[in-house]
Amino acid sequence: MKKILVIHGPNLNLLGTREPKVYGKLTLEGINNSLESLAKKQKIGLAIRQSNIEGEIVNLIQKAKGKFDGILINPAAYTHTSVAIRDALAAVEIPTVEVHISNIHTREEFRQKSLISPVAKGTIMGFGDKSYLLGLQALMDII
Ligand code: DQA
């Protein structure tokens, strides 16, 4: 059975109450439940983690080598700042799909650059919580 690691970055644990006009009302648990059911239908194993700490995300990515066939990541604010997360993804060479709830290109200038996109197979953004499902489907299709 193929396995995918889902990583949610900082502040995504607050989904549901965090800026609902931007991020919607669905909680992280709700998103995780829909990811689990899509993966189950396609007989893919999922491990889901959330961390507010950059180094913990780097550790998760490093430990994924040899254990996971794909990574689905919403690096959240670290998208725009983290050379360390980008380098970890480049190092493990696990096919990665980057997702964002909002369309970062329509937002503040500081959000418009992703350091992660160049090391991802592709990026899906702007479809609300559906970005995750679209991203998972794309990743399952390529692994
Ligand atoms: C986000 C966009 C980021 O700019 C922001 O820092 C987040 C969430 C998104 O999913 O739209 O925390 O990654």
Side-chain angles (χ1 to χ4, degrees):
M1 189 194 248
K2 299 264 189 192
K3 284 174 71 183
I4 289 174
L5 175 62
V6 179
I7 302 175
H8 302 287
N11 298 307
L12 295 171
N13 53 313
L14 301 179
L15 286 177
T17 56
R18 176 193 181 199
E19 299 183 78
K21 285 203 176 103
V22 180
Y23 299 116
K25 287 191 180 147
L26 203 62
T27 61
L28 192 61
E29 199 189 351
I31 289 173
N32 289 342
N33 288 342
S34 56
L35 289 174
E36 295 274 19
S37 69
L38 180 62
K40 205 171 165 191
K41 270 187 216 144
Q42 305 203 16
K43 298 190 170 36
I44 300 269
L46 274 198
I48 303 179
R49 304 282 181 269
Q50 188 277 329
S51 176
N52 294 323
I53 300 168
E54 184 177 19
E56 276 182 11
I57 296 173
V58 170
N59 284 342
L60 284 170
I61 294 166
Q62 288 186 8
K63 286 183 193 144
K65 185 133 183 102
K67 294 202 184 89
F68 290 94
D69 305 287
I71 295 177
L72 183 73
I73 186 167
N74 183 347
Y78 291 137
T79 306
H80 320 293
T81 62
S82 183
V83 177
I85 291 174
R86 174 200 173 119
D87 285 353
L89 289 168
V92 296
E93 294 181 320
I94 298 171
T96 295
V97 172
E98 174 192 8
V99 296
H100 299 283
I101 297 166
S102 63
N103 179 349
I104 61 175
H105 296 297
T106 62
R107 302 186 61 196
E108 301 96 324
E109 206 181 331
F110 67 86
R111 289 187 206 276
Q112 292 181 15
K113 185 169 175 58
S114 168
L115 300 187
I116 307 305
S117 295
V119 296
K121 288 279 182 197
T123 303
I124 293 176
M125 66 174 80
F127 298 100
D129 52 273
K130 295 277 181 307
S131 294
Y132 278 97
L133 290 172
L134 294 167
L136 180 61
Q137 187 59 62
L139 185 55
M140 292 190 302
D141 288 350
I142 61 169
I143 66 174

